[in-house]
């Protein structure tokens, strides 16, 4: 059971970090109508991105998950990055840092594109 939780944490942490960065980027304001597109079995909306997939977020999650799996230590598997941490399982920290850095990099770099929904869409607070 512990091995499963370690693996789940290594691949889940980048998703959580990317979600928090997205929440921070839009200041907690979302387009409520666009969030319901999938529930209505429709297409489109400000969050539709590319066929319903945010490719940048997906690629960032994959990069973070790969780093996490490469740094995990379970009784059945030890990742190749484990030697860099002195044998200590820091997979959740490294996966979160890697996924978050890949996702946030285009925002921090000069000439970054505005966040989705910033182009004249009415947004509502979710608090």
């Amino acid at each position: 059971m512990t091995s499963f939780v370690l693996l789940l944490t290594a691949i889940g942490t980048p998703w959580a970090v990317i979600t928090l960065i997205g929440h921070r980027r839009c200041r907690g304001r979302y387009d409520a109508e666009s969030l319901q597109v999938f529930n209505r079995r429709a297409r489109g909306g400000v969050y539709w991105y590319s066929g319903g997939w945010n490719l940048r977020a997906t690629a960032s999650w994959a990069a973070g998950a790969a780093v996490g799996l490469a740094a995990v230590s379970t009784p059945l598997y030890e990742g190749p990055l484990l030697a860099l941490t002195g044998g200590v399982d820091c997979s959740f920290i490294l996966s979160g840092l890697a996924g978050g850095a890949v996702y946030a990099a285009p925002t921090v770099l000069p000439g970054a594109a505005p966040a989705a929904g910033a182009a004249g869409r009415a947004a509502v607070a979710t608090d």
Side-chain angles (χ1 to χ4, degrees):
M1 181 68 161
T2 302
S3 297
F4 175 72
V5 172
L6 286 172
L7 292 172
L8 193 60
T9 303
I11 63 172
T13 302
W15 168 79
V17 170
I18 290 166
T19 301
L20 289 172
I21 291 171
H23 184 267
R24 176 78 174 149
R25 181 178 291 149
C26 71
R27 295 177 180 88
R29 300 177 69 80
Y30 296 97
D31 183 2
E33 289 297 314
S34 290
L35 288 173
Q36 298 302 317
V37 169
F38 184 76
N39 291 337
R40 292 188 204 113
R41 301 194 193 294
R43 293 178 177 215
V46 70
Y47 306 114
W48 189 250
Y49 297 101
S50 178
W53 288 85
N54 183 337
L55 299 178
R56 185 168 61 110
T58 304
S60 301
W61 168 80
V67 168
L69 292 175
V72 75
S73 174
T74 69
L76 300 174
Y77 171 75
E78 290 190 352
L81 295 180
L82 203 58
L84 297 175
T85 61
V88 178
D89 185 337
C90 295
S91 58
F92 72 99
I93 295 170
L94 295 176
S95 67
L97 289 172
V102 171
Y103 187 68
T107 305
V108 178
L109 297 175
R121 286 291 215 153
V124 292
T126 59
D127 312 83

